[in-house]
Amino acid sequence: MTAWKESAGGRRALTILRSRPFLTVAIVAAVWIVASFVSRGFGAYGHLRYLVELAAVIGLVAAGQTFVVIAGGIDLSVAAIVTVSAVSLPLLSWQGDPTGLTAVLAVLALTTTIGLVNGLGVALLRVHPMIMTLAMATFLQGLLIIIAGGSAVTAENPLVRWLGNARPAGIPAGVLLWVAVSVIVLAAMHATSFGARLFAMGANPLAAALSGVPVTSTTLAVYGISGFNSGLAGVLVLGMNGQGYVGIGDPYLLASIAAVVLGGTSILGGLGTYAGTIPGAILLVTITALITVVNASPGWRSILFGSLILGLLLLSGREQARR
């Protein structure tokens, strides 16, 4: 046993077993097993598929949030950007666009631009990320109220309806979209020079700048990516709900941060992986569903999420202090 632990393969296996992403996956499996005993229908394939479909929206938002947090920032405008996407897309759809692709691309360009504005404020104006993105969220919420008021807008876009309702080979289209995005995100994060710059900047911005890392352009890129992913999540939410309205993106701010931290990404930057955020998003949805099954109130759900995030923030802070 000792010889196996000291071998290269043994060390790699132990590193994986001790990693936060693996721990999160193990917790997800344990919660699913427990929930299956609490409620007979919980472990059914159809219900688990539905949970993963819900997690796909959180996962898309959290993909951009993971980039931002690893780079040493935070994006508090993601919920407002999701709402912008879900509300503006029906307004931009027109009959001359039979597939609906043009409207979707226009909305994604809009949300990416919003993210880039956040990046400009952080990188060039030196505004703290929390202040910059919170101000952007407040601005967008006010703008949405003026444009849409309290009325809901219906999704008539063919591509959006397909994303929300299609099930190729029995798998929800939204889940397939999440899988595709996950592959791209993991490749960009761990197999490109951009990913290396990202981690260097998050670990020590000054040292990264002195070593030649383009801090300004990298900051712009991560906030642009966050805006794009939040916009993509808004498109999926619109397709799944059939309607967009002011506030539809509100649940995804806390959820995106929680998924990132649950997956082992340090809230202080420079350490983490989207491979942990993925099971983190599934865990959040699973816990919410389990609370619903046992008829717990929304208040208890908020207490659980808040306590979970506070605990993990303290843990991440201690991990960062040891580095």
Side-chain angles (χ1 to χ4, degrees), residues 7 10-11 45 65 70 95 106 116 123 139 146 164-165 173 192 210-211 223 225 264-265 277-278 284 293 308 318 322:
S7 67
R11 287 196 297 270
Y45 170 73
Q65 191 77 265
I70 288 176
Q95 293 182 351
L116 290 173
F139 171 81
I146 293 173
N165 300 297
T192 67
L210 292 175
S211 63
Y223 282 97
I225 291 170
T265 296
T277 304
I278 294 170
L284 285 175
V293 167
L308 191 61
R318 292 181 63 184
R322 294 194 195 105

Side-chain angles (χ1 to χ4, degrees), residues 171-243:
I171 303 173
V175 174
L176 294 177
L177 175 64
W178 186 24
V179 170
V181 169
S182 298
V183 171
I184 295 171
V185 168
L186 288 170
M189 196 172 287
H190 300 290
T192 67
S193 59
F194 172 74
R197 295 196 299 268
L198 189 73
F199 285 96
M201 193 175 77
N204 192 323
L206 180 58
L210 292 175
S211 63
V213 173
V215 174
T216 299
S217 60
T218 303
T219 302
L220 285 172
V222 295
Y223 282 97
I225 291 170
S226 182
F228 176 86
N229 278 279
S230 295
L232 197 58
V235 173
L236 182 56
V237 167
L238 178 63
M240 292 169 62
N241 285 273
Q243 289 184 324

Side-chain angles (χ1 to χ4, degrees), residues 87-104:
V87 171
S88 62
L89 199 152
L91 301 177
L92 293 175
S93 298
W94 56 296
Q95 293 182 351
D97 181 21
T99 64
L101 178 61
T102 303
V104 171

